[in-house]
Amino acid sequence: MRDDKLSIQSMEFAVEIINLVKQLKTKKESIISNQIGRSGTSIGANIREAQYAHGVADFISKLQIALKESNETGYWLELLFKTGYICDDTYKTLDSKCTSIRVMLISSINTAKKNNQLL
């Protein structure tokens, strides 16, 4: 198990997304729940893949995929909120966590790009 902040937060977020999907399935919602289940858990999976990247370019690419997935997850969260499937508190909590992960990903990508230029 990784103990860096990004890995920990993305794993915790994935667990929360899986629990959200379980709740949505009890409400007979399957279209968005399938989408958010894939994108929300893909964030951490791509971060994990980046840890064994084949060089800096591969590392950056994996983090960029995770960033895209986190942006997509934010979209699905907003859609769930606007359609009444999740309440305001749930939306704000999950969106804040998703945004925090995005900020860390952007910072990590920028740092990796900067460090790659120094090589």
Side-chain angles (χ1 to χ4, degrees):
M1 199 162 125
R2 299 287 302 186
D3 63 353
D4 61 280
K5 191 173 181 177
L6 186 55
S7 294
I8 291 167
Q9 285 192 12
S10 63
M11 176 61 79
E12 290 172 355
F13 185 71
V15 169
E16 291 187 57
I17 290 296
I18 289 170
N19 289 331
L20 174 63
V21 168
K22 287 179 188 177
Q23 290 175 342
L24 292 170
K25 298 270 185 186
T26 66
K27 297 177 182 180
K28 306 289 188 218
E29 199 302 310
S30 61
I31 296 168
I32 302 171
S33 62
N34 289 334
Q35 294 289 342
I36 198 167
R38 280 193 288 278
S39 66
T41 56
S42 179
I43 299 165
N46 279 288
I47 291 167
R48 181 72 61 99
E49 281 188 51
Q51 294 165 353
Y52 290 97
H54 300 289
V56 179
D58 188 35
F59 176 79
I60 292 169
S61 175
K62 297 295 184 204
L63 292 186
Q64 286 174 328
I65 293 168
L67 180 60
K68 287 180 181 182
E69 295 291 341
S70 65
N71 191 48
E72 179 182 341
T73 301
Y75 171 82
W76 296 125
L77 286 170
E78 185 177 351
L79 189 59
L80 286 168
F81 172 66
K82 288 186 174 191
T83 55
Y85 280 104
I86 58 175
C87 68
D88 187 54
D89 287 342
T90 300
Y91 171 67
K92 285 180 180 174
T93 299
L94 290 175
D95 188 57
S96 175
K97 290 178 181 185
C98 192
T99 299
S100 176
I101 291 169
R102 269 197 307 273
V103 167
M104 284 189 285
L105 283 165
I106 291 167
S107 177
S108 296
I109 291 165
N110 288 338
T111 299
K113 286 179 178 179
K114 180 182 168 192
N115 290 342
N116 193 37
Q117 291 173 352
L118 298 175
L119 296 177

